[in-house]
Amino acid sequence: MTTFTTLTADVRRLYGETATTFTSDADILRWLNIGLRDWEADTGVQQKPQSVTTVSGTREYDIVDDVGNVQRVFYDDSPLLPVSYKVMTNYDEDTDETGIPGYYYVRFDDYQDIKIGLIPIPNDAKVLRYFYTQVEDTDYLDSANIPVPPDHRHAIVNFACAQWAATDGDITRYSLFSGVYKERKAQWEATGGLAGEAYPVMRYVDAW
């Protein structure tokens, strides 16, 4: 990981403006966050893991409040397939069946708490592990904690520079910086990013 100070300095150095006269650190922070969200949407690099222990006979479990999207779920290290809650209630004739879960759904309960449900209902105490992205209005970056793995740092810096160029109305520099960003993202995806398992440390950030 890196610090906000060094990441901001990278952006200013690449863009060629080291003073804060026209562009503030707050602007750069906002652009870096936008870049990380865009990167995450296609690569899954900032998926966060959480886990709970299942209880025999209990279908649903509370999950963290900042979930934007549940990406993957594992029961006792076995992947589960997603299904909608509506489909489950409409077509699962035996909703009280117990066994080893093969499916999961995510829903809001009557109190607007987020629940993850398992089908069938688990019959044992096992680790239920899920990976998720945060809600859209959650900033990835702050002044204390920068969850940018080193291999992605240059790409995110170029994204921020592209946003800076767009703000300045500099189409040529915008095309240059955004082109580098897109090329880096395409390279990462082509070498196994979305398949994921070649880059486990980059994909799953346990703490920010």
Side-chain angles (χ1 to χ4, degrees), residues 93-144:
E93 297 179 357
D94 188 4
T95 56
D96 294 327
E97 176 189 0
T98 62
I100 299 175
Y103 303 88
Y104 76 92
Y105 61 85
V106 178
R107 75 177 184 94
F108 286 98
D109 66 10
D110 293 339
Y111 301 98
Q112 294 302 296
D113 293 324
I114 308 173
K115 303 284 188 180
I116 186 167
L118 305 179
I119 307 170
I121 299 170
N123 58 3
D124 202 351
K126 299 290 185 181
V127 174
L128 177 68
R129 187 168 174 84
Y130 59 93
F131 294 84
Y132 72 98
T133 54
Q134 292 178 292
V135 289
E136 191 168 314
D137 61 353
T138 300
D139 281 342
Y140 288 122
L141 307 184
D142 57 39
S143 59

Side-chain angles (χ1 to χ4, degrees), residues 2 5 17 29 58 61 66 71 100 103 105 125 138 142-143 153 160 165 174 178-179 182 188 199 201:
T2 187
T5 300
E17 181 183 308
L29 177 63
T58 300
Y61 301 87
D66 64 341
Q71 303 288 341
I100 299 175
Y103 303 88
Y105 61 85
T138 300
D142 57 39
S143 59
R153 176 172 167 174
Y174 171 81
S178 62
K182 291 175 182 177
W188 193 82
Y199 300 93
V201 176

Side-chain angles (χ1 to χ4, degrees), residues 155-173:
I156 304 303
V157 166
N158 271 273
F159 182 96
C161 286
Q163 302 308 301
W164 193 340
T167 301
D168 287 348
D170 190 333
I171 303 301
T172 300
R173 300 188 79 193

